[in-house]
Amino acid sequence: MKRQQIIIACVLLSLFGAACARHAHQGPTSGNAPASMTQPIRVSAADTDAAEPSMAAARDGSVYIAWIEHRAKKEADVFVAELDGEGRIKNAPARVNPNAGEAKGWRGDPPTIAVAPDKTIYVGWTARVANAGHGTTLYLSASRDAGRSFGPPVKVNDDEKPASHGMHSLAVAPDGRVYLAWLDERNIAPVAEAMPGMNQTKMEHAEPNSEVFFAVSTDGGRTVSANKRVANEACPCCKTALAVGPDNQVYASWRQVMPGDFRHIAVAASTDGGQSFAPPKIVSDDGWKITGCPVSGPALVVATDGALRAVWYTAGERGSAGLYWAESRDRGQTFSERKLLAGGQVRGNPSLLADAKNNLFVVWESDEKEPRVLSVRLSTDGVATPAPLADSAELPTVALMGEQLLVSYIVTAQEQRSIWITRAKPAA
């Protein structure tokens, strides 16, 4: 699918300063890296082009990683593996898609992974539709043997005509329900129909806004409910986000396109397991007017105290460009004033998690002269200084294993990508 990928080049300002010692990615960790960090470990096999990692932790502390292995002729496969306490793969990776080469993914839309209370591992992924141009199908796959194998996938989108279904998110509730949200173009007219008279050059780079759809599985991923439209006029290249609270309240989030081409983060809440959603709420009026998609969606998490927290990138007239955060303590009805987490431009989607003490950990990709992965610990007392995790690195994602953070990312060398893991113990 032709995306207007205005992928924002990243220049972090003096906030990171000289205190941010570099973690050079030359196999072992460089000597000036933070003492709490470990040597990076390569996850993907040698001589493969691997990208789009995502991770999820189970209640017992085990962590699973999913990624896409790309091959020639646009063929790709989704793989999943369990990680040991050092971040190494425990068993041979399992292919999720049953038909070799049918998967599809790109840096803005990696596979999604979540682990249920009964240890079932769920993976959301997209497949190419043969002879359908940009058409994709969204699937849900499940593993009931710790990721060693995956059963037949279940089709999530219930429309039949080829269309794009992507920028998906996945979450599992404490009661075991599996929720999925995604951007859907089943009702979106092609640019030639929606914008008659546009010249060919502009048409090739234009893309109409999408709709947000939602579905739920109540039987362990064996079937999926009828699809529900949650919103329209969603930014077409910004990934959706889902979070579920300890009370099973569901939150869906996306970047909403407002009149005048202002683009802000929206959140809609459901108290009945996704059967209905309250009207969406804008998290923050950032005053960001941009005729194009920043390819950077929100991240959500619900802390153990029930507070909903959102992290997102924005620019605009109301402040400097950077990562911001806000919270809601009334189940998504209102949000606090936004606070700056880190200044500078951000590339891609931030990754966010909360620990048992309700500390937040955010990992994201910046770009000075080259891509760089940084992290920050956000406590109830304020914001810690961002710390570097890896240089020449992209697409970070994070999971918590015991008292240590596992951060995965990709490194590109000689036009081939590989996936790495580093571990860091959070500051006290």
Side-chain angles (χ1 to χ4, degrees):
M1 178 178 186
K2 291 184 178 179
R3 295 275 181 194
Q4 185 180 4
Q5 297 182 26
I6 303 178
I7 301 180
I8 304 172
C10 304
V11 180
L12 287 180
L13 302 179
S14 58
L15 173 63
F16 306 116
C20 292
R22 286 186 173 274
H23 169 192
H25 206 282
Q26 299 176 351
T29 306
S30 63
N32 60 351
S36 62
M37 293 177 57
T38 64
Q39 293 182 345
I41 296 172
R42 181 168 177 159
V43 172
S44 59
D47 300 322
T48 62
D49 183 26
E52 292 89 43
S54 59
M55 292 194 297
R59 289 187 175 184
D60 64 1
S62 55
V63 173
Y64 300 87
I65 182 170
W67 71 92
I68 293 182
E69 185 176 297
H70 296 266
R71 299 196 300 276
K73 299 181 180 180
K74 298 184 178 180
E75 292 187 349
D77 294 312
V78 180
F79 285 95
V80 168
E82 183 178 359
L83 302 174
D84 64 17
E86 296 183 351
R88 293 184 171 87
I89 290 180
K90 292 180 65 173
N91 302 300
R95 194 180 73 198
V96 177
N97 50 294
N99 302 313
E102 68 178 330
K104 182 177 182 179
W106 59 287
R107 66 164 294 122
D109 195 22
T112 51
I113 184 169
V115 186
D118 67 358
K119 298 185 180 181
T120 300
I121 302 166
Y122 296 100
V123 176
W125 57 281
T126 54
R128 293 177 289 109
V129 178
N131 303 316
H134 67 268
T136 53
T137 301
L138 177 60
Y139 286 106
L140 175 67
S141 294
S143 172
R144 308 181 200 283
D145 58 4
R148 293 179 177 84
S149 64
F150 283 81
V154 175
K155 183 182 177 184
V156 175
N157 55 283
D158 58 9
D159 54 329
E160 297 299 330
K161 185 178 179 180
S164 174
H165 311 87
M167 316 307 288
H168 55 289
S169 49
L170 171 68
V172 180
D175 64 6
R177 291 175 179 243
V178 184
Y179 299 109
L180 301 103
W182 67 96
L183 296 186
D184 196 299
E185 295 187 0
R186 69 182 70 182
N187 300 317
I188 307 301
V191 174
E193 297 178 15
M195 304 176 184
M198 177 179 288
N199 67 52
Q200 185 64 32
T201 300
K202 290 184 177 180
M203 189 179 300
E204 290 178 354
H205 295 279
E207 182 155 12
N209 296 327
S210 295
E211 295 178 323
V212 180
F213 272 71
F214 176 89
V216 57
S217 175
T218 60
D219 58 2
R222 295 173 178 84
T223 63
V224 174
S225 69
N227 299 173
K228 179 181 297 296
R229 184 172 62 181
V230 179
N232 54 21
E233 299 301 326
C235 199
C237 298
C238 290
K239 196 171 178 70
T240 60
L242 280 173
V244 185
D247 58 356
N248 293 305
Q249 172 123 342
V250 184
Y251 302 96
S253 185
W254 61 94
R255 193 180 292 276
Q256 183 72 45
V257 181
M258 311 292 288
D261 247 347
F262 290 93
R263 297 173 189 247
H264 304 321
I265 302 302
V267 171
S270 173
T271 60
D272 56 11
Q275 296 183 48
S276 63
F277 281 85
K281 304 294 183 181
I282 297 299
V283 175
S284 173
D285 181 0
D286 298 325
W288 192 17
K289 183 175 182 178
I290 174 174
T291 306
C293 186
V295 197
S296 181
L300 294 181
V301 71
V302 182
T304 57
D305 61 2
L308 171 67
R309 297 186 172 100
V311 171
W312 72 98
Y313 171 75
T314 189
E317 301 174 351
R318 297 193 59 201
S320 59
L323 273 182
Y324 288 82
W325 72 280
E327 68 177 10
S328 173
R329 292 188 172 271
D330 57 6
R331 300 162 68 91
Q333 297 307 300
T334 62
F335 285 84
S336 65
E337 286 292 322
R338 69 175 190 174
K339 296 180 181 179
L340 183 65
L341 183 67
Q345 293 178 314
V346 172
R347 193 179 187 207
N349 303 305
S351 187
L352 168 68
L353 61 80
D355 66 9
K357 298 180 181 179
N358 294 327
N359 296 310
L360 295 186
F361 299 96
V362 188
V363 176
W364 71 97
E365 177 189 343
S366 70
D367 193 356
E368 296 178 54
K369 293 182 179 179
E370 60 184 16
R372 192 181 191 195
V373 173
L374 295 105
S375 70
V376 71
R377 172 181 175 269
L378 174 62
S379 70
T380 55
D381 298 327
V383 179
T385 302
L389 293 177
D391 285 345
S392 301
E394 304 172 86
L395 295 178
T397 183
V398 63
L400 194 63
M401 178 182 281
E403 295 184 353
Q404 63 180 353
L405 294 176
L406 268 64
V407 180
S408 66
Y409 52 87
I410 70 169
V411 172
T412 302
Q414 297 179 344
E415 298 185 355
Q416 187 175 80
R417 296 164 294 181
S418 56
I419 297 175
W420 296 74
I421 292 279
T422 189
R423 293 178 290 132
K425 186 174 181 180

